[in-house]
Amino acid sequence: MTRRRILVINPNSSASVTAAIDDAVAPLRMLGGPEIEVIGLAEGPPGISSQRDADSVVMPLVNRVSRDDADAFVLACFSDPGLHAVREAAGGRPVMGIAECGIFRALMLGERFGVIALSPSSIRRQQRMARVMGVDSRYAGSWSVGASAAETAGVDIRGRLIEAGRALVTQCRADVVVMGCAGMASHRAAIAEAIGVPVVEPAQQAVAAAIGAVLLNT
């Protein structure tokens, strides 16, 4: 029997972000479970910081998914670029967006969620996403750290991420914080310990949902 496979795609071309995602999902690799493959998108920009960046990777993602035989896919960018177009290309196979999965998980953990954002332009996309998803009444807001996706994978930014998480709790009254970039994954535990509320790493949540969908054939 062929082992089932989940393909996790980082839609930017940053190798450090792809490596951070791979490390984040490592605990979800299990004996007898689906293979979890993490790749970057060579055609993608170094980071997705604007709506133009997000839109630019939609067709490369559609083309990549349409020619791959994976059992499920995860779009590992908090913009969920091309999520619905990719779902069409996948022909009924599960496609998880990390923002969608991360926000849904946050709603299970608290009443109001906030998002650590890369930049002010990221905040605008997150505001639109909360409105489109119909969860804006529980969206406390986003707080920018003014960084690139690649910078979030390094250790030097951890203090700024903690400051942003703390501001979401104290100033925006969030009781759950969602990390707004897959590159932030290695900082989750440190942020949660520092700010005292649950912190959701969305790539982990999306891959966990994909595993369930593959194992249950749903």
Side-chain angles (χ1 to χ4, degrees):
M1 179 179 176
T2 304
R3 187 180 181 190
R4 289 167 289 186
R5 181 169 63 93
I6 295 169
L7 182 65
V8 182
I9 308 173
N10 169 24
N12 71 47
S13 56
S14 169
S16 61
V17 173
T18 302
I21 296 166
D22 192 63
D23 288 344
V25 303
L28 298 170
R29 293 183 171 107
M30 64 191 79
L31 185 65
E35 176 188 354
I36 302 170
E37 180 183 2
V38 182
I39 65 169
L41 190 69
E43 307 97 309
I48 295 179
S49 59
S50 67
Q51 190 62 52
R52 185 181 302 176
D53 290 334
D55 291 345
S56 74
V57 300
V58 174
M59 287 313 299
L61 285 169
V62 166
N63 294 334
R64 182 68 179 81
V65 165
S66 64
R67 67 174 186 265
D68 198 285
D69 63 357
D71 298 280
F73 302 90
V74 172
L75 302 183
C77 169
F78 203 76
S79 298
D80 285 355
L83 179 60
H84 302 292
V86 173
R87 282 176 173 159
E88 286 185 357
R93 291 171 292 170
V95 178
M96 311 299 181
I98 69 169
E100 191 174 73
C101 290
I103 289 171
F104 285 151
R105 177 57 179 155
L107 296 177
M108 301 177 196
L109 295 172
E111 186 61 28
R112 287 167 55 84
F113 71 94
V115 181
I116 300 177
L118 285 178
S119 65
S121 62
S122 299
I123 293 176
R124 289 191 290 273
R125 292 197 308 281
Q126 291 159 13
Q127 290 169 336
R128 287 197 298 270
M129 182 176 294
R131 185 177 67 251
V132 169
M133 289 178 66
V135 298
D136 44 326
S137 65
R138 295 176 65 180
Y139 169 59
S142 298
W143 202 277
S144 169
V145 294
S148 68
E151 286 178 302
T152 64
V155 297
D156 294 340
I157 201 172
R158 180 166 295 178
R160 286 155 63 190
L161 296 173
I162 289 172
E163 289 174 7
R166 189 173 287 124
L168 288 168
V169 173
T170 60
Q171 299 187 43
C172 301
R173 297 184 297 111
D175 47 20
V176 183
V177 168
V178 182
M179 305 172 80
C181 175
M184 300 176 183
S186 64
H187 307 288
R188 189 198 67 80
I191 298 170
E193 182 178 2
I195 68 177
V197 303
V199 176
V200 174
E201 200 296 295
Q204 293 173 336
Q205 300 302 322
V207 172
I211 291 171
V214 168
L215 294 181
L216 297 172
N217 294 315
T218 58

